[in-house]
Amino acid sequence: MKKDISVIISTYNSPEWLAKVLYGYNAQTFRNFEVIIADDGSDERTKKCIEELQKEVFYPIIHVWHEDNGFQKTIILNKAILATTTDYILMTDGDCVPREDFVEHHVKHREEGYFLSGGYFKLPMHLSQQITKDDIYSGRCFDINWLRRNGIKISFKNNKLIASGLRSWFLNFTTPTTPSWNGHNASGWKTDFLEVNGFDERMQYGGEDREFGERLVNNGLKSKQIRYSTVCIHLDHARGYVKPEMIQKNLQIRKETKEQKKKWTEFGIKK
C-alpha cells in the first residue's frame, strides 16, 4: 500500500530521545505513513536504536545518514527530502514526541498552496528523562494533570496539550503568528520544497528552518497555523553546537532572502 505522508525526523547522537520519539509515532491514530530518519552523522548507537525499533513499530523506517563533519542538518534534510516516496512531507526533530493525533491533523489540514505550522510544548530536563515508553503509549505524558503532578506550572501554554475540536480551532484563529516554517512541527508538499530548491546548505544552526519558510512564502505559499491542533512535546537537551559565528552567518543569509525576496537558493538540492 502506497504511503500517504512522509515524516522526516532529524537527529544527531541522541538515541535515547529518538527512541521516545519513535514510540510516539507507533501510537499514532493515522497509520499510513513512512518515517525518514535524517541522521547528521550519528555514531553506531543511533543505528542500533533504529534497528531495534524497526522490530517493534508498524511503520517503515528509512535511515538516511552521512559522515559527521560538523553541523550539517540542512544537507541531511535535503537528502531526506529526496528519499521520501510520497507527495506530502511532515518535518520534525528527534527530540519531539508527537501526540497521538499529530500526523492525523497534518493530513486533515493540508491544502494546496499552503504549508502547515504546528506547535510544541517544551519540557524541563528532569521530565524529559523521566518519560517512559509506557507514558508515551498510554498518553500520560500529554495529560496536563500528570504533568502538573510532576512539576509543570499552570500556564496559558498548557492549552496546547488540552485543546481539541472547536477549542483548538478558536485558539488557532485568535492567536495567529507570523508565517514561518518551524523545524520541529511543519508540513508541506514535496513539489513546493523542490521549487525553492530545499534548504540552503550554507546555513548551520539558527534560523535555517525560518529561511526555508521565507522562500516558500516568497514563492507564493501561505502559512496555515495549527499550533493548537497538532502538538508535540519538546524534550530538553544541551545545545553545545551553538556558536555565535553560526548565528551571524545565518542572519546574513536570511537578510538577503528577505531583502531580495529570494525564491530559490543556489546552495540547495540542485547545485
Side-chain angles (χ1 to χ4, degrees):
M1 181 180 178
K2 179 176 169 55
K3 299 304 177 186
D4 192 48
I5 181 173
S6 302
V7 181
I8 294 179
I9 304 172
S10 62
T11 191
Y12 175 70
N13 277 339
S14 301
E16 182 183 353
W17 270 205
L18 180 62
K20 295 181 182 187
V21 171
L22 295 178
Y23 293 143
Y25 285 96
N26 206 38
Q28 292 297 295
T29 52
F30 183 90
R31 297 170 68 89
N32 190 23
F33 63 88
E34 64 181 4
V35 164
I36 317 293
I37 305 293
D39 186 348
D40 190 16
S42 299
D43 57 34
E44 284 293 310
R45 294 173 299 159
T46 293
K47 182 181 178 183
K48 290 179 181 178
C49 169
I50 293 170
E51 289 174 348
E52 285 300 310
L53 265 294
Q54 282 177 320
K55 301 172 185 176
E56 178 174 346
V57 301
F58 67 82
Y59 51 83
I61 301 176
I62 300 171
H63 186 196
V64 180
W65 177 91
H66 61 196
E67 291 187 5
D68 190 356
N69 189 25
F71 191 93
Q72 300 182 105
K73 181 179 178 181
T74 50
I75 297 175
I76 201 64
L77 285 177
N78 282 341
K79 292 177 181 177
I81 289 170
L82 294 178
T84 61
T85 68
T86 73
D87 297 328
Y88 198 77
I89 298 173
L90 163 56
M91 285 190 181
T92 185
D93 290 327
D95 54 12
C96 294
V97 180
R99 196 169 64 186
E100 65 175 7
D101 56 355
F102 188 76
V103 179
E104 177 186 340
H105 278 289
H106 275 279
V107 172
K108 177 182 178 181
H109 292 279
R110 66 186 175 186
E111 184 178 350
E112 295 286 349
Y114 289 84
F115 66 84
L116 303 179
S117 182
Y120 70 96
F121 187 91
K122 192 168 184 179
L123 295 184
M125 181 62 80
H126 80 277
L127 256 181
S128 300
Q129 295 171 330
Q130 178 181 326
I131 286 173
T132 66
K133 176 168 72 171
D134 187 54
D135 293 328
I136 295 167
Y137 280 168
S138 67
R140 273 194 300 272
C141 59
F142 288 93
D143 184 329
I144 194 60
N145 293 321
W146 184 85
L147 290 169
R148 285 176 61 184
R149 287 196 298 272
N150 285 278
I152 295 296
K153 297 179 180 179
I154 297 175
S155 166
F156 182 80
K157 292 181 180 179
N158 295 353
N159 280 295
K160 288 182 179 178
L161 292 173
I162 60 178
S164 62
L166 284 175
R167 184 176 184 178
S168 62
W169 174 87
F170 177 78
L171 288 169
N172 287 330
F173 182 76
T174 57
T175 60
T177 59
T178 303
S180 62
W181 180 273
N182 298 316
H184 53 268
N185 184 352
S187 65
W189 301 95
K190 185 175 182 177
T191 53
D192 291 327
F193 297 0
L194 298 179
E195 281 189 8
V196 300
N197 205 23
F199 288 83
D200 189 314
E201 295 182 0
R202 295 173 298 170
M203 300 192 78
Q204 296 177 293
Y205 181 83
E208 70 281 357
D209 50 350
R210 299 289 197 268
E211 193 275 339
F212 173 65
E214 285 155 6
R215 279 185 285 113
L216 290 174
V217 172
N218 291 344
N219 200 41
L221 291 189
K222 296 179 181 179
S223 170
K224 191 187 296 186
Q225 302 289 346
I226 53 171
R227 293 185 298 154
Y228 292 92
S229 299
T230 178
V231 180
C232 55
I233 51 174
H234 197 309
L235 305 176
D236 196 10
H237 59 86
R239 289 172 175 79
Y241 46 78
V242 180
K243 298 177 181 179
E245 56 267 30
M246 284 185 183
I247 303 295
Q248 287 304 120
K249 177 182 175 183
N250 286 7
L251 285 173
Q252 182 59 38
I253 295 171
R254 285 189 68 189
K255 182 180 178 182
E256 293 173 3
T257 297
K258 288 181 179 179
E259 291 180 349
Q260 300 174 27
K261 298 189 182 301
K262 285 188 174 182
K263 303 176 182 179
W264 176 272
T265 174
E266 298 290 342
F267 304 91
I269 293 172
K270 291 183 178 180
K271 307 296 186 293

